[in-house]
Amino acid sequence: MDKNTIIENLRSKSGITELNAMQRVMADTDASDIMLHAPTGSGKTVAFTLYMLGRLSASTPKPGALVLAPSRELVLQIYDVVRPLATRLKCVALYGGHSMTDEVNSLSVTPDIVIATPGRLLDHIQRRQIDLTATKVLVLDEYDKSLELGFADEMSRIVRRLRSRSNTVLTSATRLQEIPDFIDMKQIETVDFTATTPAPRSRMQIVEVESPSRDKLDTLIALLHSLDNQKVIVFVNHRESAERVHAALVKAGFPAGLYHGGLEQRDRQLAIDLLDNGTTPILVSTDLASRGLDIAEVGSVIHYHLPPTIESWTHRNGRTARQAATGTVYAITSEADSRPDFVSFDRPYSPGRPSDNPIHSDVATIYFNVGKKEKISRGDIAGYLINRGGLTADEVGKISLSDHSAIATVPRDKARDVVKAVAPHKLKNTRVRVTQLKG
């Protein structure tokens, strides 16, 4: 694609008016093999997308590009960045937990760009539903995490099939001592912005909150009551702890969601959507949420449990202070905790009286049982809520589309009336079930 077209798409569809230094380098480089290192939240996805799209056109043999990522959440995040920029190019996302039938249908016309988790892509390859022989550009995003999660064998088997590969990008927030043997990068250009990109650490305060008892729930609740309204992610070390802490926060009246690997994929995605759109501005999570999620305006991260590794500490903290924003990291400690060497604090904090503007939600989420596969667009849903639901354009909030469902945010005090008002009416000549989600 033409560079000017890509940048214009970036401005008009993503709201990015100026490239940062790393993105300019990736847009302009002629290198064929690149190792891209930059802190989390620095715009790596846009950077490698600029590079990738600059090497594709409508005439490039298909699929022209492959992006491998270690998690479903990261695949979807990359897809949401790439798709609006890749005009006239077909982009598909393949990942575990997604409908195999829908994915097979999406591959019936060979896509230009495939974004996938290694396991799901290999499944399609073995079923002969996709052929990567012609693929020119390979991106391994967060390849260190992929190796850590045990995807080396799957990635090796996939890479061997890329017989036409001429461009390779490996990205990571940290540096590996060596490149895995199966990558075969001969003349590598390293694009390293770990030192020159303003690190999130310089934009965040790390605060110790001492708990008088080993059970930290009362301290967590007091801390949350003391914070001004914002989005917060509370990290714990185990699924059972996540369930317990989440239940306690809901009982205490907080708008809180739950996220861990034991949940169904659709419930995990919904938890992220409800955090993102503000319906549940508090998310209780295991380390599953510490990488691959780009949620705007997370004001604080709370370590209910101190993390077991420095990587976990770094990536948890990286959920706040993203894209030049500031943030605060709170670590709740008790006499039972052993403080790792990598944990240090800027100051102590003892929760005092409750905030005058406490964490709350002014919006509710409405669910539709139709989505992209039923040819429903965000504009269709917005028009439906305005014309049939009685809302103004300003009252229709964020709309998210999935294959067979959609959600939209509306004012919380109007949600019940909106659901009742639209109930008798079809959406784009389709009978639709509309309900208000709990949260």
Side-chain angles (χ1 to χ4, degrees):
M1 290 179 62
D2 176 69
K3 176 183 173 181
N4 292 331
T5 301
I6 301 168
I7 293 177
E8 180 54 37
N9 288 344
L10 196 63
R11 290 171 178 158
S12 62
K13 299 182 179 183
S14 300
I16 298 176
T17 57
E18 185 177 353
L19 302 181
N20 63 31
M22 173 182 58
Q23 292 161 352
R24 290 195 298 271
V25 169
M26 291 296 290
D28 293 337
T29 183
D30 292 324
S32 58
D33 294 325
I34 297 174
M35 292 184 66
L36 173 59
H37 298 303
T40 181
S42 59
K44 286 199 303 291
T45 304
V46 169
F48 74 67
T49 299
L50 290 167
Y51 176 87
M52 176 178 69
L53 294 181
R55 281 143 187 84
L56 301 179
S57 69
S59 62
T60 303
K62 301 180 182 182
L66 168 63
V67 183
L68 289 178
S71 69
R72 168 191 188 274
E73 289 77 14
L74 189 52
V75 164
L76 288 172
Q77 177 185 314
I78 296 167
Y79 178 82
D80 286 341
V81 171
V82 174
R83 187 169 178 269
L85 305 183
T87 49
R88 300 185 181 180
L89 298 178
K90 182 181 179 182
C91 181
V92 300
L94 311 174
Y95 51 87
H98 194 203
S99 166
M100 180 62 79
T101 300
D102 286 342
E103 290 189 354
V104 171
N105 290 338
S106 72
L107 294 171
S108 61
V109 176
T110 306
D112 298 279
I113 301 169
V114 176
I115 304 168
T117 53
R120 178 51 70 96
L121 179 60
L122 198 57
D123 194 357
H124 283 291
I125 291 172
Q126 291 169 340
R127 295 172 186 236
R128 304 193 176 191
Q129 289 154 355
I130 188 169
D131 182 357
L132 301 175
T133 303
T135 301
K136 177 181 177 182
V137 183
L138 170 66
V139 178
L140 299 182
D141 194 26
E142 294 204 3
Y143 68 96
D144 57 330
K145 182 64 173 177
S146 294
L147 296 175
E148 179 185 320
L149 292 174
F151 290 134
D153 180 61
E154 287 91 341
M155 290 193 296
S156 175
R157 293 163 67 187
I158 291 167
V159 170
R160 285 201 301 266
R161 296 172 182 270
L162 307 181
R163 299 185 186 120
S164 301
R165 175 171 59 101
S166 58
N167 301 94
T168 306
V169 180
L170 275 62
T171 85
S172 174
T174 56
R175 302 170 190 165
L176 274 188
Q177 295 299 317
E178 58 184 30
I179 301 172
D181 294 338
F182 64 82
I183 300 297
D184 188 26
M185 296 169 68
K186 295 183 173 62
Q187 294 186 346
I188 303 172
E189 177 175 311
T190 299
V191 178
D192 190 345
F193 277 79
T194 53
T196 56
T197 301
R201 179 64 180 94
S202 66
R203 303 191 303 273
M204 67 175 65
Q205 282 278 301
I206 298 182
V207 179
E208 181 178 22
V209 181
E210 292 189 6
S211 172
S213 65
R214 294 190 174 199
D215 188 337
K216 303 175 182 179
L217 275 176
D218 288 343
T219 303
L220 173 63
I221 289 171
L223 172 60
L224 289 171
H225 276 306
S226 75
L227 300 182
D228 291 339
N229 193 35
Q230 59 185 285
K231 294 176 186 174
V232 178
I233 301 179
V234 180
F235 282 106
V236 299
N237 287 350
H238 309 288
R239 293 177 185 178
E240 296 77 10
S241 300
E243 298 275 357
R244 176 173 177 265
V245 170
H246 173 255
L249 295 187
V250 171
K251 184 177 180 180
F254 288 104
L258 175 66
Y259 187 80
H260 61 66
L263 299 173
E264 295 289 335
Q265 291 278 12
R266 62 184 179 181
D267 294 328
R268 285 161 52 184
Q269 184 58 46
L270 185 59
I272 296 304
D273 288 336
L274 296 186
L275 171 66
D276 193 29
N277 69 25
T279 300
T280 51
I282 299 171
L283 183 70
V284 181
S285 178
T286 59
D287 275 330
L288 185 65
S290 67
R291 297 177 71 147
L293 295 183
D294 190 7
I295 304 297
E297 300 175 347
V298 174
S300 297
V301 162
I302 298 175
H303 298 272
Y304 183 80
H305 295 138
L306 293 178
T309 66
I310 187 172
E311 290 79 14
S312 177
W313 172 256
T314 300
H315 288 291
R316 285 183 184 184
N317 294 348
R319 296 313 98 195
T320 189
R322 298 178 70 81
Q323 296 287 0
T326 58
T328 306
V329 173
Y330 297 93
I332 303 177
T333 61
S334 77
E335 62 178 13
D337 289 318
S338 174
R339 185 186 301 177
D341 293 339
F342 54 79
V343 172
S344 62
F345 302 110
D346 296 318
R347 60 182 173 88
Y349 176 69
S350 180
R353 66 180 181 86
S355 167
D356 294 329
N357 181 28
I359 298 172
H360 64 280
S361 175
D362 295 322
V363 299
T365 295
I366 291 179
Y367 171 88
F368 298 78
N369 69 334
V370 291
K372 290 182 288 188
K373 297 299 183 181
E374 288 75 34
K375 308 300 182 185
I376 300 299
S377 70
R378 290 180 176 85
D380 294 329
I381 290 176
Y384 184 67
L385 293 174
I386 293 167
N387 297 325
R388 300 299 191 185
L391 297 176
T392 66
D394 290 343
E395 290 175 323
V396 179
K398 186 167 185 176
I399 298 172
S400 300
L401 286 173
S402 298
D403 285 346
H404 298 290
S405 64
I407 58 174
T409 52
V410 301
R412 181 170 291 277
D413 59 358
K414 294 187 176 183
R416 186 173 300 177
D417 291 337
V418 170
V419 170
K420 185 177 179 180
V422 301
H425 302 287
K426 291 183 178 181
L427 169 57
K428 203 175 178 181
N429 296 319
T430 301
R431 180 64 63 186
V432 58
R433 187 175 73 253
V434 182
T435 55
Q436 179 181 347
L437 295 178
K438 295 180 180 179

